[in-house]
Amino acid sequence: MGTAYDTDFAAWAAEQAGLLRAGLVNSIDFRNLAEEIEDMGKSEQRALESRLQVLICHLLKWKFQPEQRGNSWRATIKEQRLKIKRLFSESPSLKSRLTDEEFCSDVWSYGVAAAIRETELENTFPDTAIWRMDDILNDEFLPE
């Protein structure tokens, strides 16, 4: 085998892609390649979690700090929704995460934690979701 996975990842990845394109399957580093493919899927899920966290954080701030509302928060809410839609168009299977109660509960908790960090408002935000995921992702939804 050529380039070692542990010494130069970029060269290894390019080499593996070349081997695949050439059909040289006997030379492929299947164990590490499978791991990297799994990690790519996990990366997409982490991106969804991160976008939802930021979105929930800003929706909570919008609801619980009406005097602070501004174009910046509105723009962040809009941007996160757009980026989530793009994630779903590129990886439609990610939508199934929205029906996973544990995933949604974790994402809510991350959003609440971010809102607390950004506002320093302890004991203000609800521990459990007060909106459905459909509402959170709805372009027209801004809580009062």
Side-chain angles (χ1 to χ4, degrees):
M1 198 172 303
T3 307
Y5 174 80
D6 296 327
T7 31
D8 188 340
F9 177 77
W12 172 87
E15 183 177 280
Q16 296 303 303
L19 292 170
L20 283 168
R21 285 187 189 95
L24 300 172
V25 294
N26 291 335
S27 300
I28 293 174
D29 179 359
F30 283 106
R31 185 178 61 75
N32 286 319
L33 187 58
E35 187 175 314
E36 290 305 318
I37 290 170
E38 280 180 340
D39 285 348
M40 287 171 25
K42 290 176 186 173
S43 174
E44 293 296 302
Q45 182 174 309
R46 285 190 296 273
L48 176 60
E49 289 173 356
S50 176
R51 300 264 177 221
L52 284 169
Q53 170 194 326
V54 172
L55 176 55
I56 290 167
C57 170
H58 279 76
L59 288 171
L60 287 168
K61 293 189 313 183
W62 187 272
K63 176 173 178 58
F64 290 96
Q65 289 188 302
E67 71 284 353
Q68 301 285 333
R69 291 176 184 168
N71 288 333
S72 173
W73 286 0
R74 187 185 308 270
T76 298
I77 290 167
K78 184 176 183 175
E79 177 185 3
Q80 296 310 311
R81 287 175 172 155
L82 285 171
K83 300 276 178 141
I84 290 168
K85 283 179 185 172
R86 183 174 349 139
L87 273 172
F88 288 156
S89 71
E90 293 171 354
S91 298
S93 65
L94 286 175
K95 287 182 184 178
S96 69
R97 302 300 291 149
L98 301 179
T99 60
D100 179 330
E101 288 183 33
E102 184 177 352
F103 174 83
C104 291
S105 177
D106 287 348
V107 165
W108 182 265
S109 296
Y110 303 151
V112 167
I116 291 169
R117 278 192 311 276
E118 291 185 21
T119 64
E120 298 181 359
L121 295 175
E122 295 286 334
N123 304 315
T124 299
F125 307 109
D127 292 332
T128 58
I130 56 174
W131 307 302
R132 297 173 318 129
M133 200 56 76
D134 289 345
D135 293 328
I136 291 169
L137 296 173
N138 181 340
D139 290 336
E140 304 301 316
F141 175 72
L142 274 176
E144 290 304 316

